[in-house]
């Protein structure tokens, strides 16, 4: 029970820290299908010269991608906050949010030229998908891979001019 409470508190804290207001658009349907995995979804796709994600190919495209990712995140955060404040068990909603984040980020990053933002968002999407299926959501969200890919996605989108809060 304490893990559920900690998850709710973490989600509420993240939502409170976000400067954006929750999106009023509907969340993507649970029947949305994930795109086929590509090299961009591998979190180990890094620039060997710097040890970080690959360099940006098109700043305007990265900004557009990061703006779309922010909308996806805002929608899933709103759903999770709603579930957490309803008094019920938010675990199914959190799992659904991670799953939808993974699916939507996979669709958004598949077939686009590789850039720092594409690589980082694809890696974060893949990590979100693994967190969704983990036996313990708290442990998965605190895992180094999830934290690293989240930070990479936030940093890449900030460079593109979009403040995300994954």
């Amino acid at each position: 029970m304490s893990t559920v409470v900690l998850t709710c508190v973490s989600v509420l804290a993240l939502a409170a820290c976000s400067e954006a207001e929750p999106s009023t658009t509907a969340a993507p349907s649970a029947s949305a299908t994930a795109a086929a995995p590509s090299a961009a979804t591998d979190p180990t796709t890094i620039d060997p010269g710097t040890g970080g994600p690959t360099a940006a190919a098109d700043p305007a495209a990265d900004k557009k991608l990061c703006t779309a990712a922010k909308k996806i995140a805002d929608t899933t955060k709103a759903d999770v906050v709603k579930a957490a404040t309803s008094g019920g068990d938010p675990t199914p909603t959190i799992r659904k949010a991670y799953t939808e984040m993974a699916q939507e980020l996979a669709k958004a990053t598949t077939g686009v030229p590789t850039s720092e933002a594409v690589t980082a968002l694809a890696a974060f999407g893949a990590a979100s998908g693994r967190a969704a299926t983990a036996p313990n959501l708290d442990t998965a969200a605190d895992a180094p891979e999830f934290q690293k890919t989240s930070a990479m996605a936030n940093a890449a989108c900030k460079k593109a001019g979009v403040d995300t809060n994954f």
Side-chain angles (χ1 to χ4, degrees), residues 105-132:
L105 287 175
K107 282 195 281 186
T109 58
T110 298
V112 296
T114 302
S115 70
E116 181 176 357
V118 170
T119 301
L121 288 170
F124 179 64
S128 295
R130 285 187 287 280

Side-chain angles (χ1 to χ4, degrees), residues 94-156:
I94 294 169
R95 285 193 190 283
K96 180 181 174 194
Y98 281 151
T99 299
E100 289 176 353
M101 178 83 68
Q103 291 170 342
E104 293 303 312
L105 287 175
K107 282 195 281 186
T109 58
T110 298
V112 296
T114 302
S115 70
E116 181 176 357
V118 170
T119 301
L121 288 170
F124 179 64
S128 295
R130 285 187 287 280
T133 60
N136 184 315
L137 285 173
D138 291 333
T139 301
D142 288 336
E145 178 209 15
F146 190 83
Q147 295 298 315
K148 179 181 177 183
T149 58
S150 170
M152 285 172 42
N154 287 330

Side-chain angles (χ1 to χ4, degrees), residues 10-105:
S10 297
V11 168
L12 289 173
L14 284 173
C17 292
S18 176
E19 293 178 16
E21 294 182 26
S23 173
T24 57
T25 60
S29 70
S31 64
T33 58
S38 68
T41 61
D42 182 359
T44 61
T45 305
I46 57 173
D47 180 344
T50 64
T54 56
D58 180 2
D62 282 354
K63 184 170 185 166
K64 183 178 178 182
L65 176 63
C66 287
T67 299
K70 181 175 175 45
K71 287 180 185 177
I72 294 166
D74 289 347
T75 299
T76 56
K77 282 180 200 173
D79 291 345
V80 171
V81 169
K82 182 178 176 184
T85 58
S86 72
D89 179 11
T91 303
T93 303
I94 294 169
R95 285 193 190 283
K96 180 181 174 194
Y98 281 151
T99 299
E100 289 176 353
M101 178 83 68
Q103 291 170 342
E104 293 303 312
L105 287 175

